[in-house]
Amino acid sequence: MIGIASLLWHYKKQVRQSESALLHHLFAQEGIPVHDHNVVIRIDYAQPAYKVLDEWLSSRADSGPATFVILLTAPGWLCQIKRKSWDARAWIVDASACHPVWHALLSSPYTVFELIGNQRRYYTDQQLFLEQTRQEAIAVS
């Protein structure tokens, strides 16, 4: 039993290391800086959560200590507009033209991947993630 638990722990450690290496490789491909706190959010402009995310990103002063990457499923012209308007707040990656590995990183049903040091969090709802982020920002203030 201890042997099996040891093998599982080792396997999970390798998966986490591979995931981190993959994320760093994807960031390097896009020219995105890597920090200790990285967040990847997948969103479709046709979803109701898009409006909330747009308001949230537009109201933030800057990205702070975290690197935010938005995998945006939208027409090319909207991706270009959001790259300009969210410039200091997030990196925009056009989901229709990105490397397929981005989609593998955020496999269904997850829409948010957060990496803080070695700790990973996955969220199925962008709005719940935003609410938690707001509450953490208020608690720190």
Side-chain angles (χ1 to χ4, degrees), residues 22 60-61 108 111:
L22 177 64
R60 296 189 68 204
S108 185
T111 57

Side-chain angles (χ1 to χ4, degrees), residues 124-136:
T124 56
D125 187 330
Q126 299 101 333
Q127 290 176 299
L128 289 176
F129 168 75
L130 296 178
E131 282 301 316
Q132 178 181 340
T133 303
R134 285 183 192 139
Q135 290 175 357
E136 288 173 359

Side-chain angles (χ1 to χ4, degrees), residues 13-67:
K13 181 179 176 185
Q14 285 182 328
V15 168
R16 287 191 303 269
Q17 288 172 342
S18 296
E19 203 171 53
S20 293
L22 177 64
L23 184 68
H24 291 182
H25 177 72
L26 289 170
F27 276 33
Q29 263 187 332
E30 298 286 338
I32 300 170
V34 178
H35 292 96
D36 284 338
H37 186 184
N38 302 288
V39 179
V40 180
I41 303 172
R42 180 181 59 212
I43 191 159
D44 186 331
Y45 83 103
Q47 294 176 333
Y50 172 79
K51 182 178 179 180
V52 173
L53 181 65
D54 184 29
E55 290 172 1
W56 181 72
L57 283 169
S58 296
S59 67
R60 296 189 68 204
D62 62 29
S63 62
T67 298

Side-chain angles (χ1 to χ4, degrees), residues 30 71 93-103:
E30 298 286 338
L71 288 179
V93 176
D94 185 347
S96 64
C98 71
H99 195 282
V101 177
W102 282 105
H103 298 289

